[in-house]
Amino acid sequence: EIPTPQSNQRFTGNWLVKDMHGNVLYRFGGVGNVQSDANRVAMAWLRGNQQHMRDGITVVPEMA
């Protein structure tokens, strides 16, 4: 399980691709809780959506 600063939050199983302002560009699941796997999926999505490829993009676990 991905550690969180707030113990009452848990990883939902989804990942978020965010821009430098924190806006969610893409939400996906099905890759488990491994950052490197999520990064691969996000990069594939970004290659197909190059208008979003710019500095400041992050891939983060969705917490609830």
Side-chain angles (χ1 to χ4, degrees), residues 17-42:
V17 177
K18 293 185 172 187
D19 67 13
M20 67 171 47
H21 304 292
N23 299 311
V24 176
L25 303 173
Y26 181 54
R27 180 178 181 261
F28 64 93
V31 296
N33 65 350
V34 179
Q35 182 78 49
S36 60
D37 292 340
N39 290 347
R40 274 193 291 282
V41 171

Side-chain angles (χ1 to χ4, degrees), residues 18-20 25 46 50-58:
K18 293 185 172 187
D19 67 13
M20 67 171 47
L25 303 173
L46 284 165
Q50 292 190 6
Q51 71 273 20
H52 296 295
M53 195 172 296
R54 57 185 64 114
D55 289 342
I57 297 292
T58 58

Side-chain angles (χ1 to χ4, degrees), residues 4-26:
T4 66
Q6 300 170 349
S7 62
N8 61 338
Q9 289 195 334
R10 300 253 182 242
F11 177 50
T12 66
N14 294 311
W15 292 84
L16 306 173
V17 177
K18 293 185 172 187
D19 67 13
M20 67 171 47
H21 304 292
N23 299 311
V24 176
L25 303 173
Y26 181 54

